[in-house]
Amino acid sequence: MKINRIVYLVTRRFYRVPWLFYQIGLAGNSKKYTIEERYNRVRNVCKKVNYYAHVEIKCSGTENLPKENGYILTPNHQGLFDVLLICDTHEKPTSFVIRKDLENIPLLKQTIRALDAKALDRTDARQGMQIIREMTDEIKKGRNYIIFPEGTRSKNGNVPGIFKGGSFKSAMKAKAPIVPVALIDSYKPFDVKDTGRVKVEIHYLKPLLYEEYKDMKTIEVAEIVKNRIVEKIEKETGIKQS
């Protein structure tokens, strides 16, 4: 019988689980550690988890990442593994926005604290506007963010859902670069009941600069970013999306 990869990780690597929680817990001490130090701890844990879980990563396009901090990464969303995948391959400290109902998941909860992540309540418009304001200020000061424009993960594997214009408001207000990120097969580590080696891909695409999108509406920016991601997925998989 095939088992879930998370169950395998916990049962077969149980002696490492306390260490993972300990490292993430340490990273949550913002008074003792800088954001760079906290991110490096989180990143090290992500690498260990991926290794223990038999996940092989193909990564390209890191040369496209802006030299200066203060940008957002906008990946297609396939599941909980997406953040681990980005942290494993993205050297510069970055935080992220996550749905509020996911903020108490073990390890993810500690990661949210360590990276000063934002938990978004999609039913509370006022809270959403507050998070946009906070992100705008922080991006201007050089903080990088991961935000998933779909809002929730795609249920169709490598076929992205609708990209929401509101996801780009903080970047546009901060006049920051927007980096499309194409994820391929990142749903497999947690969704497929198999513990064998699995391959996933992450491709950092050329950023959309403020000069390019300053006269656009958010929905237009969303469409451009999605099209670039879809184009890359089609190129890498050889499968045309309808």
Side-chain angles (χ1 to χ4, degrees):
M1 181 180 68
K2 293 183 177 180
I3 62 173
N4 183 282
R5 196 173 300 267
I6 301 178
V7 175
Y8 170 83
L9 180 62
V10 173
T11 56
R12 295 299 297 273
R13 298 284 185 171
F14 68 92
Y15 58 94
R16 301 298 294 174
V17 172
W19 180 87
L20 297 175
F21 275 95
Y22 176 70
Q23 291 297 316
I24 291 292
L26 284 180
N29 192 338
S30 60
K31 294 182 179 179
K32 184 176 181 180
Y33 300 109
T34 65
I35 184 60
E36 288 79 14
E37 292 171 326
R38 286 182 278 147
Y39 182 76
N40 285 336
R41 283 187 180 274
V42 170
R43 189 169 184 235
N44 187 43
V45 169
C46 290
K47 286 180 176 292
K48 293 292 185 181
V49 169
N50 295 339
Y51 174 75
Y52 295 151
H54 300 161
V55 178
E56 181 180 329
I57 299 173
K58 174 183 176 181
C59 175
S60 74
T62 53
E63 70 278 2
N64 290 323
L65 294 170
K67 303 303 180 185
E68 300 294 329
N69 286 319
Y71 54 85
I72 69 165
L73 304 168
T74 55
N76 54 307
H77 196 12
Q78 297 190 6
L80 292 175
F81 183 75
D82 298 346
V83 173
L84 278 79
L85 178 54
I86 294 172
C87 285
D88 189 307
T89 58
H90 189 273
E91 291 186 2
K92 295 181 180 179
T94 184
S95 190
F96 57 94
V97 179
I98 195 167
R99 297 200 327 262
K100 191 171 182 61
D101 58 303
L102 299 176
E103 65 178 343
N104 289 316
I105 294 177
L107 277 183
L108 189 55
K109 177 180 179 179
Q110 289 80 3
T111 302
I112 289 172
R113 181 181 177 189
L115 300 183
D116 304 323
K118 309 290 186 186
L120 176 64
D121 183 352
R122 292 185 296 178
T123 66
D124 188 338
R126 181 174 296 180
Q127 190 247 14
M129 291 303 297
Q130 178 61 30
I131 285 181
I132 289 175
R133 287 193 292 268
E134 291 175 3
M135 287 178 60
T136 300
D137 291 340
E138 291 171 14
I139 292 170
K140 286 179 179 179
K141 295 175 182 177
R143 177 64 66 90
N144 307 318
Y145 269 96
I146 304 164
I147 187 165
F148 297 99
E150 290 162 276
T152 187
R153 70 173 186 152
S154 169
K155 299 296 178 65
N156 297 310
N158 293 319
V159 181
I162 297 172
F163 276 34
K164 299 176 177 62
S167 303
F168 298 89
K169 285 183 178 180
S170 57
M172 297 179 76
K173 288 178 180 294
K175 302 180 181 180
I178 298 169
V179 183
V181 183
L183 304 183
I184 299 175
D185 292 340
S186 65
Y187 66 93
K188 290 183 176 181
F190 287 170
D191 288 0
V192 176
K193 289 188 176 181
D194 186 3
T195 59
R197 186 162 298 279
V198 62
K199 295 182 179 180
V200 300
E201 299 182 26
I202 179 168
H203 304 278
Y204 295 99
L205 310 182
K206 290 184 178 180
L208 186 63
L209 304 178
Y210 177 68
E211 290 73 19
E212 300 176 70
Y213 69 73
K214 63 180 181 180
D215 296 322
M216 297 181 186
K217 297 179 180 179
T218 55
I219 55 173
E220 294 174 314
V221 174
E223 190 67 17
I224 290 174
V225 171
K226 179 182 177 180
N227 287 342
R228 291 186 181 183
I229 290 173
V230 168
E231 182 180 348
K232 183 63 175 178
I233 293 174
E234 290 180 341
K235 180 179 179 180
E236 295 298 321
T237 63
I239 301 174
K240 189 74 174 178
Q241 297 189 19
S242 57

